[in-house]
Amino acid sequence: MQISKKGLVSLIESLLMEDLNHTIQSGETASGIAQRYNITLAQLQDANPNISNLNRIMAGQTIVIP
């Protein structure tokens, strides 16, 4: 399959604009996850309004990375 340069750029741009999902692993913290994805804790909280306290995330939970 071949893709044009313009098509590839368009695909990359759309992928970069999508939110990611991250499944929390044992030992991970919200601040560590935010740092890993180069976002602030406030951005992480805004993307996950269903989580009332980011300090109480648990392994196995899936969160949205904006």
Side-chain angles (χ1 to χ4, degrees):
M1 177 174 101
Q2 289 189 340
I3 188 167
S4 69
K5 183 177 179 180
K6 183 178 179 178
L8 181 59
V9 168
S10 178
L11 175 62
I12 291 170
E13 286 174 346
S14 68
L15 288 171
L16 289 173
M17 295 303 293
E18 289 183 14
D19 290 337
L20 302 172
N21 288 323
H22 176 87
T23 302
I24 299 165
Q25 303 298 311
S26 179
E28 286 187 311
T29 63
S31 60
I33 293 167
Q35 186 175 31
R36 175 179 176 184
Y37 290 101
N38 198 29
I39 59 173
T40 66
L41 279 174
Q43 289 171 310
L44 188 59
Q45 182 66 67
D46 289 346
N48 295 279
N50 58 316
I51 299 175
S52 60
N53 186 345
L54 286 176
N55 292 319
R56 301 191 72 177
I57 57 174
M58 297 174 18
Q61 268 184 296
T62 299
I63 58 174
V64 174
I65 307 297

